[in-house]
Amino acid sequence: MALIQVEKLSKTYKKGDNKIYALRNINFDIQEGEYVSIVGKSGSGKSTLLNLLGGMDTSAEGGVYYNGKNLLTMNEKDLSYHRKFTVGMIFQSFNLIPSRTAIDNVKLPLIFSNYPVMLRETRACELLYNMGLYNRALHYPSELSGGEAQRVAIARALANKPKVILADEPTGNLDTATSAEIIGLLKMFNEKHNITIIMVTHDKETAYKVSHKTILLSDGEIIKITSNQNK
Amino acid sequence: MKISDIILLASDNLKRNIFRTALTAFGVAVGIGSLSSMISLGKGVSTNISKQMESNDIFTGLTMSSRSMDFDGYSNKTILSDDKKQTVPLSDSTIKEILSWEEVATAFPEQIKPATINLEGKSVVTNIKAIPLEMNGFYPFTKINPGSFYTSESEPCVIMSKIVLDKMGITTPYDSLIGKNIEIITRVFDLDKIDLITSKKKQLPVKNDTTILKIKGIVQTTSFSAGIFNDGIFLPPMTCSFIPSIDLRNVYDIINGEQGKYGKYNTVHIRVKEYAMLKPVKLRLEEKGFSVFSIGDKLEDFEKIFFMLDTVMAVIGSIALIISIFGIVNTLIMAIYERRKEIGIMKSLGATAGQIKMIFYFEAAIIGFGGGVFGVLCGKLISQASGKIANSQLGNFFDSNIEYFSFSWEIVFFSILFSVLVSVIASIYPANKASKIDPLNALRRE
Ligand SMILES: Nc1ncnc2c1ncn2[C@@H]1O[C@H](COP(=O)(O)OP(=O)(O)OP(=O)(O)O)[C@@H](O)[C@H]1O
Ligand SMILES: [Mg+2]
């Protein structure tokens, strides 16, 4: 069975009497360990889809199944469990908490997951070390470069050992070299730790290059799913 | 999420806006400070002052008289006309009967003679009062220092009161006064002079009589005492009766031509066993036609004043507390707006609604705790200061310094607990609001 199954997923926004389809009858499966890219023009519904996969949004029709359980019908408690342990999210704008140092940002999900207090420091250090940020642990987000900030965000997303990383344009605010670095990191975690990556990007070229599967969206509909089994 | 985590997160949040936090906590402090000092005042008054008064005689002392005097109309000192109130004579048998009552600890006739006393070259006009041996062990004779109470009804000695010594301006150490002789000068009829009246020389037929007695003890009373013990000097009854003096009451009787109508005694002092018995005994005596006076009744007025003070402080405290609750609500709601995105991030990281709520509860609890501690501290300082002022103003009513405020550890503990509790209750609405923040909305780029 696929890790993630999206079935007949539709989402509409109501604007007065008008119904805007952000997503229209989306169907696809994602296997554990896959690197999936979602591409498409601005406004095509990529973020909307990713948020539904992340359990950040449940107001849609159809189904988003993780191991057979539909996120759209889950209660608040199970949803936060999903966000805590099943997925890790990273964003274009990093979304680090500015008042907390890098290491404290990484520790935050460990607090919510009741990770043993004694081991948190070690865990957070290990994560930052893996991101090459060991000497940035006590920096505040404002003292970090974009690439560093995004790596802290990745470390934070990985803190509770999720199966899936959901990344919404993680390189959108970064230059080409740094972008490549971030994509490389994600690819490394995908390959080494079998972490499923679902990444929204504008950059079709990179998408085709790194992903096992690329989903092309247009106006809320899937135009094409490209598989590259060599990856 | 462990409690230590919540406290850490909450205090981090509070530190970020330390000035606002301090202001909010200060609001709580004002409320808690006035409430706690109010409670301590209430408690202090009801325990300490009551204790003080119980050890005093005003709680249990009654003065009863055969004449229907309007004691309450103190200022005009009216003697009601006899046909308005029947007079019942006060005799030994009356006293005997009263003594047989269960509620009565002791009763004795108040025998008072005006006299001039000379001591250490100083003199004062006062009253000498016959106090029976049974009064040993009753206030104010529990406060004899130095010296002691007399041991026989005819011992040739006096007990001085501090009030009289003060009046005389005697500053000699009291210890050295014990055993000293005191001159008591009374007025007696001078039969030799009666002739002189008829010979129209305007001179009263009186002369001085001097009695010398030893000082046995000094009683440390203050003016806050039932009538007879307010001042004067106290003597064993037999000793007192040996001192000759014109009994003015007899003169009054003679003039009225109705000798014995008021009985042998003017007034009788009665001690009931405890305060609760004061009223019943008073009523019983009044039923019998006696006129009865006790300062104990006036205690209610005293308590009313403190009750009013208490109420005023309670109102101030409550208003301050209500305002501080709004302060907390306001602070936390502002925090929600400021931390909207942060809360969204936390939720995206898997924080549950309950965890978000907890952070807010603890922020409020910390404010409440800080405000509570500071408030109790201020309350303590304020009550100490007011206690000192009250003592300096009312000090001469009481024998010793009174703790008007009883700032016990219980009050400290419960005030802080109450402060925390109220703060947490105030945070329920903001916490609820914060926990309902939609992470998607919060994280959307503006
Ligand atoms: N809260 C909202 N209310 C109304 N319409 C919305 C809302 N959020 C998104 N939409 C609409 O849904 C559609 C999909 O938006 P979405 O953010 O998923 O696009 P996107 O593919 O991520 O675009 P971009 O590449 O610019 O980020 C858009 O037409 C957008 O206008
Ligand atoms: Mg988007």
Side-chain angles (χ1 to χ4, degrees):
Chain A
M1 195 174 72
L3 174 65
I4 303 167
Q5 294 167 293
V6 175
E7 278 180 20
K8 293 180 189 152
L9 183 64
S10 292
K11 177 161 176 92
T12 53
Y13 288 108
K14 275 204 182 98
K15 269 272 147 74
D17 287 343
N18 278 18
K19 249 191 187 180
I20 299 168
Y21 273 89
L23 293 173
R24 197 195 296 261
N25 195 24
I26 302 288
N27 294 282
F28 63 87
D29 286 354
I30 292 173
Q31 306 296 325
E32 191 166 354
E34 271 192 305
Y35 196 126
V36 178
S37 290
I38 301 170
V39 294
K41 278 185 285 188
S42 185
S44 57
K46 306 181 295 292
S47 295
T48 306
L49 178 57
L50 204 74
N51 287 329
L52 284 160
L53 288 166
M56 299 277 280
D57 181 9
T58 53
S59 58
E61 283 139 55
V64 179
Y65 298 92
Y66 273 76
N67 292 319
K69 273 190 222 148
N70 191 355
L71 292 184
L72 302 187
T73 57
M74 255 183 202
N75 63 28
E76 257 304 308
K77 214 178 147 203
D78 290 339
L79 272 178
S80 47
Y81 184 91
H82 173 80
R83 296 198 285 254
K84 200 154 33 194
F85 294 112
T86 314
V87 299
M89 297 195 80
I90 48 183
F91 307 88
Q92 180 176 354
S93 52
F94 321 131
N95 281 345
L96 297 175
I97 293 179
S99 60
R100 297 175 74 85
T101 59
I103 192 159
D104 280 348
N105 264 283
V106 176
K107 278 185 194 165
L108 206 54
L110 300 172
I111 290 173
F112 299 133
S113 67
N114 265 327
Y115 200 84
V117 181
M118 308 290 287
L119 304 176
R120 278 182 206 159
E121 189 81 12
T122 322
R123 173 77 183 140
C125 284
E126 175 195 31
L127 286 158
L128 287 175
Y129 183 82
N130 289 344
M131 296 295 147
L133 286 172
Y134 195 71
N135 55 352
R136 294 285 185 276
L138 297 178
H139 285 226
Y140 285 91
S142 60
E143 300 163 349
L144 297 170
S145 72
E148 286 165 343
Q150 194 60 295
R151 280 185 282 158
V152 173
I154 295 171
R156 190 178 67 180
L158 289 167
N160 282 320
K161 301 177 182 161
K163 281 200 172 86
V164 183
I165 289 283
L166 302 169
D168 194 347
E169 295 187 46
T171 60
N173 282 353
L174 305 174
D175 61 36
T176 326
T178 319
S179 297
E181 213 176 279
I182 296 296
I183 301 287
L185 269 172
L186 291 175
K187 188 69 189 159
M188 188 269 282
F189 277 100
N190 173 249
E191 284 171 350
K192 269 198 177 166
H193 303 283
N194 202 36
I195 288 173
T196 309
I197 310 276
I198 305 173
M199 178 178 82
V200 167
T201 181
H202 270 119
D203 184 359
K204 279 188 189 170
E205 206 178 304
T206 314
Y208 289 126
K209 212 160 72 191
V210 298
S211 350
H212 301 117
K213 197 188 267 175
T214 304
I215 298 169
L216 177 61
L217 283 182
S218 178
D219 283 334
E221 286 181 284
I222 295 182
I223 304 282
K224 184 167 78 174
I225 299 180
T226 316
S227 287
N228 186 348
Q229 291 309 325
N230 304 333
K231 294 279 150 34
Chain B
M1 194 157 63
K2 306 227 160 36
I3 287 194
S4 57
D5 293 326
I6 308 171
I7 292 173
L8 227 70
L9 283 172
S11 55
D12 272 357
N13 290 336
L14 293 174
K15 265 187 243 156
R16 257 188 274 166
N17 216 322
I18 191 78
F19 184 66
R20 192 174 65 197
T21 305
L23 267 181
T24 313
F26 182 73
V28 177
V30 171
I32 290 297
S34 30
L35 271 183
S36 62
S37 44
M38 172 216 77
I39 293 165
S40 80
L41 175 68
K43 233 184 116 185
V45 166
S46 63
T47 56
N48 285 304
I49 295 186
S50 299
K51 221 187 282 164
Q52 181 80 22
M53 289 177 177
E54 263 161 34
S55 75
N56 210 308
D57 56 346
I58 69 151
F59 251 134
T60 52
L62 283 168
T63 303
M64 146 182 143
S65 91
S66 63
R67 287 200 184 93
S68 308
M69 286 183 87
D70 179 11
F71 284 103
D72 289 325
Y74 178 63
S75 53
N76 47 350
K77 286 185 179 152
T78 334
I79 297 177
L80 297 175
S81 59
D82 288 349
D83 46 287
K84 272 194 190 154
K85 254 190 178 177
Q86 215 188 323
T87 51
V88 182
L90 276 177
S91 57
D92 286 321
S93 65
T94 323
I95 295 173
K96 217 172 167 185
E97 194 205 326
I98 291 166
L99 275 170
S100 74
W101 294 356
E102 210 181 305
E103 301 94 328
V104 173
T106 189
F108 63 90
E110 291 183 355
Q111 288 171 288
I112 296 171
K113 294 175 181 177
T116 304
I117 54 171
N118 294 330
L119 176 67
E120 302 258 288
K122 289 182 172 131
S123 97
V124 72
V125 178
T126 183
N127 289 310
I128 58 173
K129 297 167 178 178
I131 305 294
L133 268 181
E134 295 95 82
M135 281 305 288
N136 191 8
F138 284 96
Y139 186 91
F141 302 105
T142 46
K143 304 249 176 192
I144 296 178
N145 178 37
S148 61
F149 203 68
Y150 33 80
T151 49
S152 100
E153 298 254 316
S154 56
E155 201 174 330
C157 66
V158 304
I159 306 277
M160 291 291 293
S161 86
K162 182 180 179 299
I163 293 166
V164 171
L165 288 171
D166 286 348
K167 247 187 217 168
M168 296 172 86
I170 287 176
T171 50
T172 325
Y174 288 175
D175 283 319
S176 65
L177 290 175
I178 302 299
K180 279 237 165 92
N181 283 337
I182 181 168
E183 247 179 36
I184 300 168
I185 296 156
T186 48
R187 310 283 269 174
V188 294
F189 279 118
D190 186 354
L191 294 174
D192 297 341
K193 283 187 188 157
I194 289 182
D195 284 349
L196 298 174
I197 298 174
T198 49
S199 63
K200 287 181 182 164
K201 282 190 184 165
K202 291 202 169 170
Q203 207 171 3
L204 280 171
V206 290
K207 62 176 181 187
N208 284 348
D209 184 279
T210 305
T211 312
I212 292 175
L213 295 170
K214 280 199 161 43
I215 295 175
K216 180 88 193 232
I218 292 160
V219 69
Q220 302 272 353
T221 48
T222 56
S223 55
F224 202 53
S225 178
I228 190 172
F229 305 109
N230 268 354
D231 65 355
I233 60 173
F234 312 111
L235 281 74
M238 294 293 272
T239 313
C240 185
S241 65
F242 290 144
I243 296 176
S245 170
I246 300 169
D247 187 342
L248 289 172
R249 193 173 48 96
N250 291 347
V251 177
Y252 182 82
D253 282 354
I254 292 163
I255 293 165
N256 277 287
E258 37 185 6
Q259 196 164 3
K261 183 177 177 187
Y262 300 105
K264 195 171 165 192
Y265 307 114
N266 250 342
T267 52
V268 170
H269 184 79
I270 301 167
R271 285 294 170 88
V272 293
K273 284 176 180 153
E274 49 189 83
Y275 177 56
M277 295 167 177
L278 190 75
K279 272 241 164 96
V281 169
K282 189 179 174 185
L283 285 174
R284 207 164 151 189
L285 290 168
E286 278 169 349
E287 257 169 42
K288 284 189 168 289
F290 296 112
S291 181
V292 186
F293 173 70
S294 74
I295 316 181
D297 289 351
K298 301 283 172 285
L299 184 73
E300 282 167 13
D301 296 340
F302 201 73
E303 280 175 340
K304 255 181 228 158
I305 292 170
F306 275 100
F307 179 75
M308 253 164 59
L309 208 80
D310 234 26
T311 313
V312 167
M313 283 175 87
V315 168
I316 293 171
S318 304
I319 291 171
L321 205 68
I322 288 166
I323 292 170
S324 71
I325 288 171
F326 283 117
I328 290 174
V329 173
N330 179 59
T331 294
L332 293 181
I333 285 181
M334 265 162 84
I336 292 175
Y337 286 115
E338 287 165 7
R339 302 214 303 260
R340 226 176 102 79
K341 184 162 184 195
E342 190 179 316
I343 293 165
I345 293 170
M346 286 178 165
K347 281 198 145 185
S348 80
L349 294 174
T352 61
Q355 288 173 326
I356 303 288
K357 273 187 208 169
M358 272 297 175
I359 295 171
F360 274 82
Y361 291 154
F362 269 78
E363 280 177 41
I366 292 169
I367 291 175
F369 182 77
V373 169
F374 186 62
V376 165
L377 208 80
C378 289
K380 171 97 187 154
L381 290 177
I382 288 167
S383 56
Q384 257 171 1
S386 345
K388 268 194 191 132
I389 293 167
N391 265 320
S392 72
Q393 297 293 312
L394 296 170
N396 50 349
F397 278 131
F398 299 108
D399 290 343
S400 56
N401 271 3
I402 307 239
E403 275 188 51
Y404 292 94
F405 295 85
S406 154
F407 225 102
S408 63
W409 284 110
E410 277 157 65
I411 290 179
V412 170
F413 176 78
F414 284 109
S415 297
I416 294 171
L417 188 78
F418 182 65
S419 177
V420 170
L421 215 75
V422 164
S423 306
V424 171
I425 289 169
S427 75
I428 288 176
Y429 171 72
N432 223 22
K433 215 170 136 98
S435 76
K436 289 208 174 96
I437 284 177
D438 175 17
L440 204 58
N441 251 318
L443 294 182
R444 184 169 288 132
R445 273 163 292 160
E446 272 82 42

